[in-house]
Amino acid sequence: MRFAASETLSLGLELELQLVSASTGQLSPSGSALWEALQAHPSGRHFALEATQATIELNASVHQAAEPLRQEVHALVTQAQAAAGTLGLALRGGGTHLAQFWNERVLSPTDRAQVLDQRFGFLPKRFSTYGMHVHVGMPDAESAVRVANVLQAHTPLLIALSAASPFLQHGDSGFAACRPLEPLVYPHGGPLPPLRDWAHFCALVRELCDTGIAESLKDIYWDVRPKPEFGTVEVRVFDTPLSVDRAVDLAAWTRALAGLALNGQLPLPQPRCHVTEAKVSRFLACRDGLQARLFDPVRGDWVNARAWALALSDQMARQLPTPMDRPTLDRLAAAWRAGDGAQEDHARMRALWRSVAPEGRLPDGSPPDAVALAAYSATLCDRLLGDA
């Protein structure tokens, strides 16, 4: 595989957004109709269908700073919301939908969706959740491997920072983020294996393709993966945040983290160890969000997730791997310092449901109250372009 040329620490963002009925708040299998409507605009190329029809994916341009990315994503979401409104639809964030069942999902009429259906059966419908992918430009293949290793070691923290999937199948999962558990059922999903170098990465990809379980790197669902055709490292563990601003802030923070790794300022122990700690840490991040106690592989110790995020933010402020994003990074760190668990997306979703639902709780296994679901979903749709 050839690693394409890319501007070092350039930034890209993909957002998978929930497509719902504006009147009921239920997921709507209308992705094709919305995509067709968006193709009438010059920016239609920024939108794509996913494997199932209750999703529309937004693909931003490549940027060198967070604020131009924010402006573009705001404009694209505004356009998509307007197109959706003409179809009686609405868009919202969050990693899962409260009333989401895999057997109710409708596959998209794309060749890729049909291949996934034949290869994996019900799994693509089950994995029809909503995530954010961040791309960071790398100067060369070996740098991409080195940075990917470091970012993979930090994925429990990234999961905790973006946790926004507490509900699933008419129930409260008890987790801050249940969505990141879904790729673990795939034989080629979950944590990126520790990579020695670019040749090792290429050999692993060939090995998976030789089994017939994947045809290309696009079919390998690692948490973090080099993307040679883009010249980037892609981070895939985030839940889709409730707001566009939170999405861009987290993308900028991830880019700064990659900058520290690229500059050799986040050294991992050699030989790599702490396999059990990494697995447990990922689980605790899904369960507890920023309240979790996670394993910092650089320090080799267990730390509070919020304290870990703030320590890395302080390091970013001192070493300035991405000075163009300093205001965004400072604002995000200030919010973490001032905030509490109630400001996390998963906590906001639970609090919102309690405020609209009869008796403030979800029924056990039965459909949620229709009026409450509509009100809950409408508020989340409004939040997409609201404050982070």
Side-chain angles (χ1 to χ4, degrees):
M1 284 184 285
R2 187 184 71 85
F3 194 84
S6 176
E7 183 171 348
T8 300
L9 296 183
S10 53
L11 182 61
L13 180 65
E14 303 170 27
L15 275 179
E16 296 165 353
L17 298 173
Q18 298 184 30
L19 185 56
V20 300
S21 163
S23 60
T24 68
Q26 293 280 4
L27 288 171
S28 175
S30 305
S32 293
L34 177 58
W35 183 83
E36 289 286 353
L38 289 167
Q39 297 317 295
H41 302 271
S43 57
R45 61 187 175 85
H46 289 286
F47 298 95
L49 293 173
E50 273 293 305
T52 58
Q53 286 271 46
T55 310
I56 194 75
E57 182 181 81
L58 182 155
N59 299 299
S61 305
V62 177
H63 290 272
Q64 282 66 52
E67 287 312 307
L69 173 64
R70 190 186 315 277
Q71 294 169 15
E72 182 192 33
V73 177
H74 265 271
L76 290 171
V77 170
T78 298
Q79 179 183 320
Q81 284 181 325
T86 65
L87 299 171
L89 304 170
L91 300 176
R92 45 160 288 196
T96 55
H97 189 279
L98 187 153
Q100 179 175 334
F101 287 84
W102 73 264
N103 58 323
E104 295 176 353
R105 303 283 61 81
V106 178
L107 288 173
S108 294
T110 62
D111 292 342
R112 177 165 173 76
Q114 304 310 310
V115 168
L116 292 176
D117 182 41
Q118 294 166 13
R119 186 180 296 160
F120 296 117
F122 77 103
L123 291 182
K125 291 183 178 180
R126 172 174 159 169
F127 194 27
S128 182
T129 53
Y130 301 86
M132 176 176 83
H133 301 169
V134 176
H135 287 263
V136 182
M138 290 290 115
D140 53 66
E142 296 299 342
S143 295
V145 166
R146 182 164 53 85
V147 171
N149 280 329
V150 175
L151 291 178
Q152 177 62 55
H154 287 75
T155 52
L157 180 58
L158 301 179
I159 289 170
L161 292 174
S162 66
S165 51
F167 299 135
L168 188 66
Q169 297 183 9
H170 297 170
D172 188 325
S173 69
F175 278 56
C178 66
R179 187 205 63 84
L181 301 173
E182 289 297 321
L184 299 181
V185 304
Y186 284 90
H188 54 318
L192 170 76
L195 300 174
R196 295 189 298 271
D197 50 29
W198 181 250
H200 182 213
F201 167 73
C202 293
L204 285 177
V205 172
R206 283 195 301 271
E207 182 179 326
L208 280 168
C209 290
D210 287 346
T211 67
I213 205 70
E215 293 182 356
S216 70
L217 184 57
K218 185 175 183 178
D219 297 328
I220 300 173
Y221 304 142
W222 287 327
D223 296 341
V224 177
R225 62 187 184 189
K227 287 288 283 183
E229 66 269 39
F230 296 153
T232 66
V233 170
E234 179 187 16
V235 183
R236 301 165 46 82
V237 293
F238 301 98
D239 282 351
T240 294
L242 296 183
S243 74
V244 163
D245 281 339
R246 175 65 61 86
V248 174
D249 288 351
L250 290 176
W253 197 86
T254 303
R255 194 235 310 241
L257 187 68
L260 293 176
L262 184 63
N263 296 338
Q265 294 160 332
L266 288 175
L268 294 177
Q270 298 292 338
R272 298 187 185 94
C273 48
H274 308 304
V275 174
T276 298
E277 288 89 343
K279 289 182 178 179
V280 173
S281 189
R282 193 184 196 281
F283 171 84
L284 293 175
C286 290
R287 191 185 70 183
D288 300 330
L290 278 179
Q291 311 310 307
R293 185 169 170 263
L294 304 179
F295 187 77
D296 177 349
V298 175
R299 290 177 48 189
D301 197 10
W302 291 88
V303 295
N304 170 265
R306 187 184 300 275
W308 187 12
L310 287 170
L312 286 168
S313 291
D314 289 343
Q315 185 176 354
M316 293 169 187
R318 292 192 309 271
Q319 296 173 333
L320 294 176
T322 53
M324 69 290 285
D325 290 344
R326 181 68 184 270
T328 297
L329 300 175
D330 288 348
R331 185 172 60 250
L332 192 55
W336 287 336
R337 286 191 176 90
D340 54 28
Q343 300 305 309
E344 298 176 49
D345 276 354
H346 66 92
R348 289 177 168 178
M349 295 166 83
R350 284 189 170 103
L352 174 59
W353 179 259
R354 287 195 299 269
S355 74
V356 299
E359 302 180 8
R361 62 181 180 83
L362 281 166
D364 295 328
S366 57
D369 178 83
V371 174
L373 180 60
Y376 170 80
S377 187
T379 301
L380 292 184
C381 291
D382 290 342
R383 189 165 195 82
L384 189 58
L385 289 177
D387 293 336

